[in-house]
Structure formats: C-alpha cells, structure tokens
Amino acid sequence: MNLALAGNILAAGQDAHCQLLRFQTHQQKGKNKAEKAGSKEQGPRQRKGTAPAEKKSGAETHQEGAELRVENLQAVQTDFGPDPLQKVVCFNHDNTLLASGGTDGYIRVWKVPSLEKVLEFKAHEGEIEDLALGPDGKLVTVGWDLKASVWQKDQLVTQLHWQENGPTFSNTPYRYQACRFGQVPDQPASLRLFTVQIPHKRLRQPQPCYLTAWDGSTFLPLRTKSCGHEVISCLSVSESGTFLGLGTVTGSVAIYIAFSLQRLYYVKEAHGIVVTDVAFLPEKGRGPELLGSHETALFSVAVDSRCQMHLLPSRRSVPVWLLLLLCVGLIVMTILLLQSAFPGFL
C-alpha cells in the first residue's frame, strides 16, 4: 500500500504491518532452458512437421536481463487502530531510522534494520495522511484533522497556518494532503517544505487545490498557487529541489518548477485512474546519461497497474552575451534615430 526506498532497502506497507526487505540486482545471461527443452513433456502433442522448427527456435533463444533477488529482513505491526492500516512510511536522511503513520493517528519511529521502536506519540486525531523527515531531525505530519504539525521528536514545535495566510473559502474547509522537504537550488544549507492542500469535502462546485512552499526553518508560507480543480493524490520533489511532481485522483500527471510553482508539464488523465505515487529519476549516477537532452524525468504509478515515464524537454534559454548584444544594438539604434530626427541632438 506504501513504500520507501533507502539504497537497497525497501520498507513496504502491507495492511497494518511494515515489511523490511533487501534487494540485489544480478545480470542474468544464458540460454532459456524452458524454451530449449520445448514442450516435450507438457501440453498437447505437436505435429511432426513443426517439431524441427520449434526445436531450432528454442535452441537459439537466449535470456538476458536483470534479475532481482529479494530478502526478507524484518516485519513489525505499525498501526493499532480499530481498522488498522499503515498509510505512510519514510526513512530519515541517513537511513538509520524509519517513521510510520496510519489510521490510529500515532507516529512510530523504528531503528533500521532491526525495527526496534524508539519513539511513539499521538500526532493527530484521526488518520495520518503523510509525513516528511527533515535532515535536522524535524518531522512534519499532516492528518485528517485538518492540521499540519512540525515535531522535534515527540515535542510539538509549531503548526502550519495556511488557510489563515492564503486563499480562504468560508464554506470550504481544506486539509493537507501531502508534505515533502526539498533542497533549495544553489543553497545547500537551506530547506523548503512543500505541501498540497485539497478541499476536505467534495462539493457540487469543485474548488481548486493549492500548492504551497514554506520556509524550512521558520515554517512560514513563502508562496501559494492554485494547481487546478483535479484533486491531488501525491507529491514528489526532485533530488536537487528544482522540480515538483504531482499526481491526481483522475490519473493526470504534472511537473512544476519549485521556485515559482509554475507548471511546466501536464498530461490530462495519463492513467485514467488514481495516481498512487510519483518519483523523479535520480540526478546522480546514471540519471544524466538516461535523461539525454531532457531536463528531468518523472515516473508515475497508478491503480491501473501501469508505470509511465514523463520526460520534460530542456527549456530553451537565450545566452547572456546575446541579450547584452541586443541591448547595445537597441541603444545604438535609438541614438541614430534621435540624431536623424533632431540633427543637433549630439
């Protein structure tokens, strides 16, 4: 139902439990034994005329690719509500701790890989919708009680106040749907928090959803923009903090620039059903090689059991030297025009 990745470790939610898995990738090369053997022992008897061709085809078939080996490490129950369900799981910055939240409103923090519980506290009245762990140890949680809270361990630091500072609708309460920390490009020591706000109740007249950027130290809102009337289901931030990815309950996918919250890419109903998660292609390792001439790539998965890759073409920009040359040319042209219109101008 939910998943977090830390190197070669997976934390996967299964009902009320969290499964900790380790995976390894192996290159698989060699002949396909099943095809080589043919259907000698299974299936209906083949006609004699077709047997030699099938045998030859099977002998020439090779199987090449990557094999994924998965090992179970630990499992632990993380939610204890009347209808228990783990809804979100997240690793900390150095992958030594794991935080989980579910329908009982409690945040539980676990050691990795032993899954020994180190912290437990009540964060929300009702279900926890999302959580984000910052590199400074702060934890942000959002829940169905319409609150977004910032914690240092189990101590409440502050609460986010969006509706008081942003667009308000007297008859439309909003709740926080997702939260993610992201780096500030060119400022490695700074952080931004990004949240998505959606209408708490479905109305006959759809209300817009909103995307908000917050200061990562003061947790004051920096800017808010509407992201359309489709209800947002998931949020992701690129590795460098440059881009934001959004998925909707109607299957649409969008990419925004984090600085201005401007939409750069949008595909309406790319899946046609709820997008359950989006993730950017890593910007290190083989990421740049795979991107080629594109600026970024966003993967989306949905209830239709499909994974799609969305490529953002590189945006064309005018070189600085060309802008300076154009400015000088405009100045010279203006002077010449003034000189011709007014001979004694210079």
Side-chain angles (χ1 to χ4, degrees):
M1 300 300 293
N2 43 83
L3 180 144
L5 176 65
N8 66 336
I9 302 293
L10 288 171
Q14 185 178 16
D15 297 327
H17 292 75
C18 182
Q19 306 282 338
L20 204 62
L21 312 167
R22 178 187 287 121
F23 69 91
Q24 292 181 333
T25 305
H26 298 272
Q27 291 299 321
Q28 187 180 27
K29 294 183 179 181
K31 295 180 180 180
N32 191 324
K33 295 181 180 180
E35 291 186 1
K36 185 178 179 182
S39 55
K40 201 170 184 179
E41 299 178 358
Q42 295 182 0
R45 185 176 179 179
Q46 302 296 325
R47 295 176 62 184
K48 291 182 179 179
T50 60
E54 289 183 358
K55 185 176 181 181
K56 183 178 179 181
S57 174
E60 292 179 352
T61 301
H62 291 74
Q63 184 176 359
E64 296 183 4
E67 181 184 56
L68 198 65
R69 298 179 183 176
V70 182
E71 172 191 2
N72 287 308
L73 297 180
Q74 296 287 343
V76 67
Q77 185 172 351
T78 59
D79 193 78
F80 299 88
D83 188 13
L85 175 67
Q86 176 181 294
K87 296 195 67 177
V88 60
V89 62
C90 178
F91 285 97
N92 68 340
H93 70 288
D94 59 3
N95 303 328
T96 58
L97 296 174
L98 183 72
S100 64
T103 57
D104 63 359
Y106 278 82
I107 290 292
R108 296 176 176 90
V109 181
W110 316 83
K111 283 185 180 179
V112 177
S114 65
L115 291 187
E116 175 189 350
K117 185 165 62 179
V118 296
L119 187 64
E120 177 181 20
F121 63 94
K122 181 79 169 178
H124 293 273
E125 296 297 330
E127 299 181 10
I128 292 176
E129 192 64 37
D130 201 6
L131 62 87
L133 279 164
D136 57 354
K138 287 189 173 63
L139 171 69
V140 177
T141 62
V142 300
W144 275 68
D145 56 3
L146 313 186
K147 295 180 181 179
S149 303
V150 183
W151 308 85
Q152 188 75 53
K153 294 186 176 180
D154 58 349
Q155 299 300 310
L156 180 63
V157 176
T158 186
Q159 288 187 343
L160 303 185
H161 299 282
W162 172 76
Q163 204 150 356
E164 297 88 333
N165 298 286
T168 57
F169 299 90
S170 57
N171 298 324
T172 309
Y174 276 72
R175 66 177 174 86
Y176 298 88
Q177 170 68 15
C179 58
R180 289 289 183 273
F181 279 107
Q183 292 184 350
V184 180
D186 303 325
Q187 298 181 32
S190 301
L191 278 180
R192 290 284 184 270
L193 176 69
F194 299 95
T195 61
V196 167
Q197 293 80 233
I198 66 173
H200 185 54
K201 294 181 179 179
R202 300 283 183 91
L203 300 176
R204 181 174 299 179
Q205 182 69 27
Q207 298 294 335
C209 297
Y210 288 92
L211 185 60
T212 303
W214 306 75
D215 186 283
S217 57
T218 63
F219 295 100
L220 294 175
L222 299 174
R223 62 188 60 87
T224 291
K225 281 199 174 180
S226 169
C227 46
H229 290 79
E230 294 177 272
V231 178
I232 305 300
S233 57
C234 52
L235 165 70
S236 180
V237 184
S238 66
E239 199 171 13
S240 62
T242 305
F243 301 104
L244 306 176
L246 294 179
T248 73
V249 298
T250 51
S252 302
V253 177
I255 299 176
Y256 287 72
I257 189 164
F259 173 74
S260 61
L261 304 184
Q262 175 189 355
R263 191 169 74 183
L264 302 175
Y265 174 96
Y266 172 75
V267 178
K268 184 176 178 62
E269 298 181 2
H271 289 272
I273 199 168
V274 182
V275 177
T276 54
D277 206 359
V278 290
F280 283 96
L281 183 73
E283 298 173 357
K284 298 177 183 177
R286 291 192 60 199
E289 175 189 346
L290 297 172
L291 277 177
S293 61
H294 298 89
E295 200 161 354
T296 190
L298 180 71
F299 292 90
S300 62
V301 291
V303 180
D304 59 5
S305 300
R306 291 193 302 158
C307 176
Q308 295 187 7
M309 182 172 68
H310 307 268
L311 293 170
L312 178 67
S314 295
R315 291 166 290 168
R316 295 182 179 179
S317 58
V318 180
V320 177
W321 64 267
L322 183 58
L323 288 175
L324 293 175
L325 186 62
L326 289 172
C327 290
V328 172
L330 287 173
I331 293 172
V332 172
M333 188 178 295
T334 302
I335 293 175
L336 292 175
L337 288 173
L338 290 173
Q339 179 66 21
S340 62
F342 306 99
F345 177 72
L346 292 178

